[in-house]
Amino acid sequence: MKLTHSFRIPYDPVLYAALRDYQREAARVWNDTLEEAVLYFRTWKRWASKTLLQANRKQAYRLHSQT
């Protein structure tokens, strides 16, 4: 088991709110991708390719591609 600590970074409140929005958007990308991959597997009995998953995510979220 790995021990982790959570702490609040002392940013300007406006910047902190923006960072939280980006964090939530990244979580939404992950959850949507996982849901799609599992649904694809249940339908076709094989995993979706990386290319297919990336194509379906392209320009669908408010994040930079390198995020």
Side-chain angles (χ1 to χ4, degrees), residues 4-61:
T4 61
H5 298 279
S6 178
F7 58 93
R8 189 176 183 124
I9 299 172
Y11 285 118
D12 174 43
V14 175
L15 180 58
Y16 190 77
L19 290 172
R20 291 289 292 169
D21 288 342
Y22 289 133
Q23 181 184 30
R24 287 185 181 104
E25 190 70 0
R28 196 165 71 90
V29 172
W30 172 259
N31 291 329
D32 290 351
T33 302
L34 182 62
E35 182 179 332
E36 181 184 359
V38 169
L39 182 63
Y40 189 92
F41 181 80
R42 288 180 180 162
T43 304
W44 302 103
K45 302 298 182 223
R46 62 186 174 111
W47 290 107
S49 69
K50 177 176 130 179
T51 306
L52 175 68
L53 293 173
Q54 286 176 340
N56 292 339
R57 302 274 98 59
K58 191 171 187 173
Q59 298 181 0
Y61 301 96

